[in-house]
Amino acid sequence: MKILFCVGKSYYSIHQNMVRQLEAAGADVCCLMYDEAQDKQKIIHAIHDAEIYITAVSPADREVIDAAPQLKYILKTGTGLDNVAIEYATEKGICVSNAPGENAISVAELAIGLMISISRMIPQLDRRTKDGHWNHSNGFECYGKTLGIIGFGAIGQRIARMASAFSMKLMTYGVHKDFDQAAEIGATFVDLDHLLAESDYIVISTSLKKTNFHMIDAGALEKMKQTAFLINVSRGALIDEPALLDALKKKKIAGAALDVFESEPPVPPLPHLENLIATPHIGGTTQESIWRVAQVTIENVRRFIRHESPTHVVNRVDTFK
């Protein structure tokens, strides 16, 4: 069974190990590496005889799917599926699965790290100190503050559990309402306007859909406290970046910490603002999380080759009937 594996930089250290395990399962693996894995024309050329397509952020849109008449299965190495045309894949009878929750610890830890870093301006003060300046700065404590979490899936729940160590008041908003988990953690579901108005910190951890594109726009930013911080560890397109740029320049909010951007790498001047921390989409990429996702991916390929249903299938197809 032929596999096209679009290898991102995060998988460089383990992709050869993955390929060996996939080949041992009976697969013939073709790899596109790094920049090639983002070149749609190279993907289209390489996928023409593939039956399985493994992708992290490389496109799996209609054009790519149409270029693969033998394609039966798309595996997303991660949670977010905004780069996969799920409905079109379903029409074509192509199974789609992801690996939800495997990177939740890593993303949640980064969110907490960004929250502390933007509160105390750690990267900015590190840079100034290394440049020979010794300027003190008054930051903010996270302890006892109100944290609003947009999205209460595996990542949002992990963030809430970690933030509870700071005795933070926890509010959450989103389509996924796990009331049992919220009660156990001590989080309260509220509407978006209430979350925006009352939170000292807002963390975005929801998946990107057509319905929430630019959900944090100029109007949403106007509702936030002037002392509030915005943190995004999900997808850049959830924030209207020109509106955020304006809000940060005019100090309408205290600051932002972004691991994701609508265009990556981000376009200046947004990443150069002093009251913004920028990281290069590293939320889910720790040694531990990459290996967990790899194991889910390898096992699902094995299951597929054995004509068994993979885990975490996100669409309904009759492949396994």
PDB file of all heavy atoms in Angstrom, residues 180-201:
ATOM      1  N   ASP A 180     -19.491  17.926  33.193  1.00  0.00           N
ATOM      2  CA  ASP A 180     -18.889  17.117  34.264  1.00  0.00           C
ATOM      3  C   ASP A 180     -17.432  17.510  34.492  1.00  0.00           C
ATOM      4  O   ASP A 180     -16.997  17.696  35.633  1.00  0.00           O
ATOM      5  CB  ASP A 180     -18.983  15.630  33.915  1.00  0.00           C
ATOM      6  CG  ASP A 180     -20.405  15.099  33.970  1.00  0.00           C
ATOM      7  OD1 ASP A 180     -21.238  15.743  34.650  1.00  0.00           O
ATOM      8  OD2 ASP A 180     -20.687  14.080  33.329  1.00  0.00           O
ATOM      9  N   GLN A 181     -16.673  17.641  33.384  1.00  0.00           N
ATOM     10  CA  GLN A 181     -15.277  18.049  33.505  1.00  0.00           C
ATOM     11  C   GLN A 181     -15.167  19.468  34.047  1.00  0.00           C
ATOM     12  O   GLN A 181     -14.306  19.765  34.868  1.00  0.00           O
ATOM     13  CB  GLN A 181     -14.580  17.960  32.138  1.00  0.00           C
ATOM     14  CG  GLN A 181     -14.219  16.561  31.704  1.00  0.00           C
ATOM     15  CD  GLN A 181     -13.165  15.939  32.595  1.00  0.00           C
ATOM     16  OE1 GLN A 181     -12.177  16.573  32.946  1.00  0.00           O
ATOM     17  NE2 GLN A 181     -13.383  14.682  32.985  1.00  0.00           N
ATOM     18  N   ALA A 182     -16.044  20.348  33.582  1.00  0.00           N
ATOM     19  CA  ALA A 182     -16.017  21.731  34.063  1.00  0.00           C
ATOM     20  C   ALA A 182     -16.258  21.782  35.566  1.00  0.00           C
ATOM     21  O   ALA A 182     -15.565  22.503  36.297  1.00  0.00           O
ATOM     22  CB  ALA A 182     -17.070  22.551  33.319  1.00  0.00           C
ATOM     23  N   ALA A 183     -17.232  21.006  36.039  1.00  0.00           N
ATOM     24  CA  ALA A 183     -17.532  20.988  37.472  1.00  0.00           C
ATOM     25  C   ALA A 183     -16.362  20.429  38.267  1.00  0.00           C
ATOM     26  O   ALA A 183     -16.017  20.931  39.345  1.00  0.00           O
ATOM     27  CB  ALA A 183     -18.794  20.160  37.729  1.00  0.00           C
ATOM     28  N   GLU A 184     -15.724  19.384  37.734  1.00  0.00           N
ATOM     29  CA  GLU A 184     -14.585  18.775  38.426  1.00  0.00           C
ATOM     30  C   GLU A 184     -13.415  19.746  38.532  1.00  0.00           C
ATOM     31  O   GLU A 184     -12.735  19.815  39.568  1.00  0.00           O
ATOM     32  CB  GLU A 184     -14.147  17.514  37.677  1.00  0.00           C
ATOM     33  CG  GLU A 184     -12.973  16.795  38.321  1.00  0.00           C
ATOM     34  CD  GLU A 184     -12.513  15.590  37.506  1.00  0.00           C
ATOM     35  OE1 GLU A 184     -13.351  14.971  36.828  1.00  0.00           O
ATOM     36  OE2 GLU A 184     -11.296  15.290  37.553  1.00  0.00           O
ATOM     37  N   ILE A 185     -13.176  20.494  37.468  1.00  0.00           N
ATOM     38  CA  ILE A 185     -12.040  21.424  37.429  1.00  0.00           C
ATOM     39  C   ILE A 185     -12.367  22.725  38.150  1.00  0.00           C
ATOM     40  O   ILE A 185     -11.480  23.399  38.685  1.00  0.00           O
ATOM     41  CB  ILE A 185     -11.627  21.705  35.969  1.00  0.00           C
ATOM     42  CG1 ILE A 185     -11.185  20.408  35.285  1.00  0.00           C
ATOM     43  CG2 ILE A 185     -10.496  22.734  35.899  1.00  0.00           C
ATOM     44  CD1 ILE A 185     -11.018  20.529  33.780  1.00  0.00           C
ATOM     45  N   GLY A 186     -13.648  23.099  38.157  1.00  0.00           N
ATOM     46  CA  GLY A 186     -14.046  24.359  38.761  1.00  0.00           C
ATOM     47  C   GLY A 186     -14.229  25.472  37.761  1.00  0.00           C
ATOM     48  O   GLY A 186     -14.073  26.656  38.093  1.00  0.00           O
ATOM     49  N   ALA A 187     -14.558  25.097  36.513  1.00  0.00           N
ATOM     50  CA  ALA A 187     -14.775  26.085  35.448  1.00  0.00           C
ATOM     51  C   ALA A 187     -16.266  26.296  35.228  1.00  0.00           C
ATOM     52  O   ALA A 187     -17.075  25.390  35.441  1.00  0.00           O
ATOM     53  CB  ALA A 187     -14.121  25.620  34.152  1.00  0.00           C
ATOM     54  N   THR A 188     -16.625  27.497  34.786  1.00  0.00           N
ATOM     55  CA  THR A 188     -18.020  27.852  34.534  1.00  0.00           C
ATOM     56  C   THR A 188     -18.207  28.221  33.075  1.00  0.00           C
ATOM     57  O   THR A 188     -17.427  29.016  32.524  1.00  0.00           O
ATOM     58  CB  THR A 188     -18.437  29.048  35.413  1.00  0.00           C
ATOM     59  OG1 THR A 188     -18.199  28.726  36.790  1.00  0.00           O
ATOM     60  CG2 THR A 188     -19.899  29.386  35.207  1.00  0.00           C
ATOM     61  N   PHE A 189     -19.231  27.660  32.430  1.00  0.00           N
ATOM     62  CA  PHE A 189     -19.547  28.039  31.056  1.00  0.00           C
ATOM     63  C   PHE A 189     -20.292  29.369  31.048  1.00  0.00           C
ATOM     64  O   PHE A 189     -21.243  29.571  31.807  1.00  0.00           O
ATOM     65  CB  PHE A 189     -20.407  26.963  30.386  1.00  0.00           C
ATOM     66  CG  PHE A 189     -19.632  25.747  29.965  1.00  0.00           C
ATOM     67  CD1 PHE A 189     -19.628  24.610  30.752  1.00  0.00           C
ATOM     68  CD2 PHE A 189     -18.885  25.746  28.795  1.00  0.00           C
ATOM     69  CE1 PHE A 189     -18.910  23.490  30.381  1.00  0.00           C
ATOM     70  CE2 PHE A 189     -18.158  24.636  28.411  1.00  0.00           C
ATOM     71  CZ  PHE A 189     -18.166  23.495  29.203  1.00  0.00           C
ATOM     72  N   VAL A 190     -19.833  30.284  30.185  1.00  0.00           N
ATOM     73  CA  VAL A 190     -20.451  31.603  30.055  1.00  0.00           C
ATOM     74  C   VAL A 190     -20.570  31.933  28.577  1.00  0.00           C
ATOM     75  O   VAL A 190     -19.996  31.240  27.722  1.00  0.00           O
ATOM     76  CB  VAL A 190     -19.617  32.694  30.771  1.00  0.00           C
ATOM     77  CG1 VAL A 190     -19.536  32.429  32.269  1.00  0.00           C
ATOM     78  CG2 VAL A 190     -18.215  32.792  30.158  1.00  0.00           C
ATOM     79  N   ASP A 191     -21.315  32.998  28.250  1.00  0.00           N
ATOM     80  CA  ASP A 191     -21.358  33.420  26.849  1.00  0.00           C
ATOM     81  C   ASP A 191     -20.096  34.212  26.523  1.00  0.00           C
ATOM     82  O   ASP A 191     -19.350  34.638  27.416  1.00  0.00           O
ATOM     83  CB  ASP A 191     -22.632  34.203  26.529  1.00  0.00           C
ATOM     84  CG  ASP A 191     -22.769  35.503  27.315  1.00  0.00           C
ATOM     85  OD1 ASP A 191     -21.758  36.217  27.481  1.00  0.00           O
ATOM     86  OD2 ASP A 191     -23.887  35.812  27.757  1.00  0.00           O
ATOM     87  N   LEU A 192     -19.841  34.395  25.240  1.00  0.00           N
ATOM     88  CA  LEU A 192     -18.589  35.004  24.802  1.00  0.00           C
ATOM     89  C   LEU A 192     -18.442  36.437  25.297  1.00  0.00           C
ATOM     90  O   LEU A 192     -17.364  36.843  25.740  1.00  0.00           O
ATOM     91  CB  LEU A 192     -18.477  34.953  23.275  1.00  0.00           C
ATOM     92  CG  LEU A 192     -17.187  35.512  22.674  1.00  0.00           C
ATOM     93  CD1 LEU A 192     -15.965  34.779  23.211  1.00  0.00           C
ATOM     94  CD2 LEU A 192     -17.229  35.440  21.145  1.00  0.00           C
ATOM     95  N   ASP A 193     -19.500  37.216  25.220  1.00  0.00           N
ATOM     96  CA  ASP A 193     -19.412  38.613  25.659  1.00  0.00           C
ATOM     97  C   ASP A 193     -19.021  38.711  27.128  1.00  0.00           C
ATOM     98  O   ASP A 193     -18.218  39.569  27.519  1.00  0.00           O
ATOM     99  CB  ASP A 193     -20.744  39.336  25.421  1.00  0.00           C
ATOM    100  CG  ASP A 193     -20.981  39.665  23.954  1.00  0.00           C
ATOM    101  OD1 ASP A 193     -20.030  39.510  23.154  1.00  0.00           O
ATOM    102  OD2 ASP A 193     -22.103  40.063  23.601  1.00  0.00           O
ATOM    103  N   HIS A 194     -19.594  37.843  27.958  1.00  0.00           N
ATOM    104  CA  HIS A 194     -19.259  37.848  29.389  1.00  0.00           C
ATOM    105  C   HIS A 194     -17.796  37.477  29.589  1.00  0.00           C
ATOM    106  O   HIS A 194     -17.088  38.118  30.387  1.00  0.00           O
ATOM    107  CB  HIS A 194     -20.163  36.858  30.131  1.00  0.00           C
ATOM    108  CG  HIS A 194     -19.950  36.833  31.604  1.00  0.00           C
ATOM    109  ND1 HIS A 194     -20.533  37.744  32.471  1.00  0.00           N
ATOM    110  CD2 HIS A 194     -19.187  36.010  32.393  1.00  0.00           C
ATOM    111  CE1 HIS A 194     -20.150  37.486  33.702  1.00  0.00           C
ATOM    112  NE2 HIS A 194     -19.334  36.446  33.693  1.00  0.00           N
ATOM    113  N   LEU A 195     -17.339  36.466  28.861  1.00  0.00           N
ATOM    114  CA  LEU A 195     -15.935  36.040  28.975  1.00  0.00           C
ATOM    115  C   LEU A 195     -14.988  37.170  28.573  1.00  0.00           C
ATOM    116  O   LEU A 195     -13.992  37.438  29.251  1.00  0.00           O
ATOM    117  CB  LEU A 195     -15.697  34.805  28.110  1.00  0.00           C
ATOM    118  CG  LEU A 195     -14.306  34.157  28.178  1.00  0.00           C
ATOM    119  CD1 LEU A 195     -14.422  32.641  27.988  1.00  0.00           C
ATOM    120  CD2 LEU A 195     -13.368  34.721  27.118  1.00  0.00           C
ATOM    121  N   LEU A 196     -15.301  37.839  27.468  1.00  0.00           N
ATOM    122  CA  LEU A 196     -14.445  38.932  26.993  1.00  0.00           C
ATOM    123  C   LEU A 196     -14.383  40.067  28.018  1.00  0.00           C
ATOM    124  O   LEU A 196     -13.308  40.623  28.272  1.00  0.00           O
ATOM    125  CB  LEU A 196     -14.972  39.463  25.659  1.00  0.00           C
ATOM    126  CG  LEU A 196     -14.869  38.529  24.456  1.00  0.00           C
ATOM    127  CD1 LEU A 196     -15.661  39.081  23.275  1.00  0.00           C
ATOM    128  CD2 LEU A 196     -13.409  38.315  24.050  1.00  0.00           C
ATOM    129  N   ALA A 197     -15.505  40.387  28.606  1.00  0.00           N
ATOM    130  CA  ALA A 197     -15.577  41.548  29.500  1.00  0.00           C
ATOM    131  C   ALA A 197     -14.963  41.295  30.869  1.00  0.00           C
ATOM    132  O   ALA A 197     -14.440  42.227  31.493  1.00  0.00           O
ATOM    133  CB  ALA A 197     -17.041  41.975  29.656  1.00  0.00           C
ATOM    134  N   GLU A 198     -15.002  40.058  31.327  1.00  0.00           N
ATOM    135  CA  GLU A 198     -14.614  39.774  32.707  1.00  0.00           C
ATOM    136  C   GLU A 198     -13.228  39.152  32.863  1.00  0.00           C
ATOM    137  O   GLU A 198     -12.691  39.106  33.972  1.00  0.00           O
ATOM    138  CB  GLU A 198     -15.649  38.844  33.347  1.00  0.00           C
ATOM    139  CG  GLU A 198     -17.047  39.432  33.437  1.00  0.00           C
ATOM    140  CD  GLU A 198     -17.093  40.689  34.286  1.00  0.00           C
ATOM    141  OE1 GLU A 198     -16.356  40.739  35.294  1.00  0.00           O
ATOM    142  OE2 GLU A 198     -17.850  41.615  33.938  1.00  0.00           O
ATOM    143  N   SER A 199     -12.624  38.682  31.788  1.00  0.00           N
ATOM    144  CA  SER A 199     -11.362  37.940  31.902  1.00  0.00           C
ATOM    145  C   SER A 199     -10.158  38.860  31.984  1.00  0.00           C
ATOM    146  O   SER A 199     -10.069  39.874  31.279  1.00  0.00           O
ATOM    147  CB  SER A 199     -11.190  37.004  30.702  1.00  0.00           C
ATOM    148  OG  SER A 199     -12.200  36.031  30.667  1.00  0.00           O
ATOM    149  N   ASP A 200      -9.213  38.482  32.838  1.00  0.00           N
ATOM    150  CA  ASP A 200      -7.908  39.151  32.873  1.00  0.00           C
ATOM    151  C   ASP A 200      -6.964  38.542  31.842  1.00  0.00           C
ATOM    152  O   ASP A 200      -6.056  39.218  31.345  1.00  0.00           O
ATOM    153  CB  ASP A 200      -7.297  39.011  34.271  1.00  0.00           C
ATOM    154  CG  ASP A 200      -8.166  39.642  35.337  1.00  0.00           C
ATOM    155  OD1 ASP A 200      -8.418  40.858  35.245  1.00  0.00           O
ATOM    156  OD2 ASP A 200      -8.613  38.913  36.246  1.00  0.00           O
ATOM    157  N   TYR A 201      -7.181  37.274  31.558  1.00  0.00           N
ATOM    158  CA  TYR A 201      -6.431  36.553  30.525  1.00  0.00           C
ATOM    159  C   TYR A 201      -7.437  35.771  29.686  1.00  0.00           C
ATOM    160  O   TYR A 201      -8.363  35.158  30.235  1.00  0.00           O
ATOM    161  CB  TYR A 201      -5.428  35.564  31.137  1.00  0.00           C
ATOM    162  CG  TYR A 201      -4.388  36.210  32.005  1.00  0.00           C
ATOM    163  CD1 TYR A 201      -4.629  36.419  33.362  1.00  0.00           C
ATOM    164  CD2 TYR A 201      -3.163  36.606  31.478  1.00  0.00           C
ATOM    165  CE1 TYR A 201      -3.690  37.027  34.163  1.00  0.00           C
ATOM    166  CE2 TYR A 201      -2.213  37.218  32.280  1.00  0.00           C
ATOM    167  CZ  TYR A 201      -2.481  37.427  33.622  1.00  0.00           C
ATOM    168  OH  TYR A 201      -1.535  38.036  34.414  1.00  0.00           O
TER     169      TYR A 201
END
